[in-house]
Structure formats: structure tokens, C-alpha cells
């Protein structure tokens, strides 16, 4: 089953997240804080979700391509730059976040 979300961009106002091009399409509501006000910061993060997912997917693909290209420059079993481990971890972190956002997390 394909996991689909409402396409972005999303917007928010007064604790309501909605499709920016269809204001009558509510996606989510942001809970009120203890002081009774809506959290604009939570609304900002939620409303940015579609764009963040797109950027994460693009960045993951670009990092994976760069990793593979740099790795080919070194002989089998050779010493690779230490930053390659950080890049590999970052790719894995991006994969985890993307899987969580697309419902493919196991």
C-alpha cells in the first residue's frame, strides 16, 4: 500500500494546519499549550513537513551519490577520509527520518 500525504505547501493559522491552496482542507490541529495559546513553533514545523521531506529525500540521494563517487577513488581496503563515516551516518539518519515520514519504518 502506497503511503500518501496531502501535497504541500501547508500553512497554519490559529492552531490549524491546512493545505495552503485549499484552506478548507484541514490536515491537523496543533494542541493548545498549558497557557491556552496555540504553539506557533509547533505549527511552523508541522506546516513545513512536505518541504522538509522533499529536501531530506534530495539530500539523501545527493549524499549517497557523493559517498559512492568518493569511495570509488580509493582501492579496496584502502584508507578513506575520516569524514566518510560521518557522511555514512548522516545518510542513515536521513533514511530513518524519511522512513518515519513515509510510513515505511519497520
Amino acid at each position: 500500500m502506497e503511503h500518501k500525504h496531502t501535497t504541500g505547501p501547508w500553512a497554519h493559522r490559529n492552531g490549524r494546519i491546512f493545505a495552503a491552496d485549499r484552506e478548507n482542507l484541514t490536515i491537523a490541529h496543533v494542541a493548545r499549550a498549558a497557557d491556552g495559546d496555540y504553539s506557533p513553533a509547533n505549527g511552523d514545523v508541522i506546516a513545513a513537513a512536505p518541504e522538509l521531506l522533499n529536501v531530506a529525500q534530495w539530500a539523501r540521494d545527493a549524499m549517497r551519490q557523493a559517498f559512492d563517487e568518493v569511495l570509488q577513488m580509493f582501492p579496496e581496503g584502502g584508507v578513506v577520509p575520516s569524514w566518510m563515516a560521518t557522511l555514512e551516518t548522516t545518510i542513515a539518519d536521513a533514511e530513518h527520518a524519511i522512513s518515519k515520514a513515509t510510513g515505511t519504518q519497520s
Side-chain angles (χ1 to χ4, degrees):
M1 183 171 131
E2 190 174 347
H3 190 82
K4 291 190 173 205
H5 65 272
T6 303
T7 58
W10 295 353
H12 71 97
R13 186 179 315 110
N14 297 325
R16 187 173 150 264
I17 309 299
F18 54 91
D21 62 342
R22 296 171 293 188
E23 192 167 339
N24 63 335
L25 178 58
T26 299
I27 295 165
H29 292 279
V30 179
R32 290 182 184 264
D35 64 4
D37 196 10
Y38 294 108
S39 172
N42 288 341
D44 289 342
V45 170
I46 295 167
E51 291 93 343
L52 291 170
L53 176 58
N54 288 338
V55 168
Q57 291 169 323
W58 177 89
R60 175 216 42 211
D61 294 345
M63 287 186 295
R64 187 181 295 140
Q65 181 178 349
F67 183 89
D68 291 344
E69 288 176 8
V70 171
L71 199 58
Q72 290 177 8
M73 295 177 192
F74 296 90
E76 182 84 24
V79 177
V80 296
S82 59
W83 56 264
M84 291 286 288
T86 301
L87 182 57
E88 192 169 28
T89 300
T90 304
I91 294 168
D93 290 347
E95 285 286 359
H96 175 76
I98 292 164
S99 293
K100 188 174 179 181
T102 59
T104 58
Q105 186 177 21
S106 51

